[in-house]
Amino acid sequence: RKEVEQDPGPFNVPEGATVAFNCTYSNSASQSFFWYRQDCRKEPKLLMSVYSSGNEDGRFTAQLNRASQYISLLIRDSKLSDSATYLCVVTPTGNQFYFGTGTSLTVIP
Amino acid sequence: NAGVTQTPKFQVLKTGQSMTLQCAQDMNHNSMYWYRQDPGMGLRLIYYSASEGTTDKGEVPNGYNVSRLNKREFSLRLESAAPSQTSVYFCASSEVGQLGEQYFGPGTRLTVT
């Protein structure tokens, strides 16, 4: 089983829609979690950390479900500029980290 | 601050040629990483350097060597390029203990013919 798994999509949603991605992880002892965004032909950029209590940054909400071992990213009121690939990162220990393969989002006018 | 810089941005090599990809960061980070990214494969770690003076293999180290020249610079060398090494290469850095918070360079697009 892979350490981190993501649905590759693509997710095609209309502007203004709400969309959610999940990322499952295999190591129940995983400590830290993050979401990255990668635009086409660009480098990945850190979008937000995922805290145990959940956290929100504008239209973006990240949540952690330790019981089911997944993290989620919710995007409300989708904009055309949200079109990108979203990568999750899980760090099982202080010396390990794993990137998911990414979920592709296209927001359609 | 420039963040993480990489040179060159593009490169075409013939099979068997060698080259070095350069990476530098100005964020005073201790840890640095080299990845390759191929369609459908996601990011795969080639080598990383937890701190100046140390390097370790990642998931796909074969065919590559690295040098942590100083705290700022971490280079990746292909000794004898092969078509299978055609890829986009990213360098990244992070602070010690914050492996999940990495800052990436713009990438090098390498084609080996």
Side-chain angles (χ1 to χ4, degrees):
Chain A
R1 183 181 172 187
K2 287 185 181 179
E3 295 285 343
V4 176
E5 295 201 62
Q6 290 184 254
D7 180 348
F11 285 69
N12 299 316
V13 303
E15 264 187 296
T18 296
V19 62
F21 314 128
N22 284 345
C23 170
T24 59
Y25 59 94
S26 61
N27 189 330
S28 60
S30 294
Q31 300 175 356
S32 303
F33 309 87
F34 306 87
W35 282 103
Y36 281 71
R37 170 196 170 121
Q38 185 174 23
D39 293 302
C40 187
R41 301 180 71 80
K42 298 284 191 180
E43 72 272 23
K45 291 185 178 178
L46 181 64
L47 180 64
M48 58 197 304
S49 304
V50 185
Y51 303 126
S52 296
S53 56
N55 48 302
E56 190 173 304
D57 182 2
R59 297 181 293 108
F60 296 82
T61 300
Q63 294 201 312
L64 167 63
N65 185 318
R66 284 198 181 273
S68 300
Q69 293 181 213
Y70 72 87
I71 61 172
S72 64
L73 178 68
L74 181 80
I75 306 175
R76 289 182 300 279
D77 189 23
S78 298
K79 311 290 184 193
L80 296 177
S81 57
D82 294 333
S83 297
T85 296
Y86 291 85
L87 310 170
C88 65
V89 173
V90 175
T91 61
T93 71
N95 293 324
Q96 294 176 305
F97 60 93
Y98 298 97
F99 275 84
T101 53
T103 297
S104 174
L105 170 68
T106 300
V107 180
I108 304 164
Chain B
N1 281 351
V4 180
T5 57
Q6 291 183 237
T7 56
K9 284 188 169 52
F10 301 93
Q11 184 71 49
V12 178
L13 292 178
K14 294 188 189 308
T15 297
Q17 287 184 318
S18 63
M19 78 162 295
T20 299
L21 281 64
Q22 306 287 354
C23 174
Q25 51 93 8
D26 63 3
M27 294 174 284
N28 204 35
H29 286 163
N30 283 290
S31 302
M32 297 185 73
Y33 315 84
W34 275 106
Y35 295 89
R36 60 177 290 171
Q37 188 173 39
D38 304 292
M41 300 290 289
L43 285 165
R44 291 187 290 170
L45 184 65
I46 304 171
Y47 271 94
Y48 67 99
S49 170
S51 61
E52 187 179 354
T54 70
T55 60
D56 286 288
K57 294 178 181 180
E59 181 185 355
V60 289
N62 291 346
Y64 305 95
N65 286 301
V66 290
S67 294
R68 183 74 183 267
L69 303 170
N70 48 53
K71 191 172 185 180
R72 290 186 64 248
E73 298 172 287
F74 188 37
S75 62
L76 178 72
R77 183 161 177 83
L78 286 69
E79 291 291 351
S80 179
S84 61
Q85 294 178 305
T86 294
S87 188
V88 180
Y89 291 86
F90 289 106
C91 176
S93 71
S94 73
E95 193 43 83
V96 170
Q98 297 180 15
L99 300 183
E101 297 183 36
Q102 297 185 19
Y103 295 85
F104 284 79
T108 295
R109 281 174 169 71
L110 175 66
T111 301
V112 183
T113 61

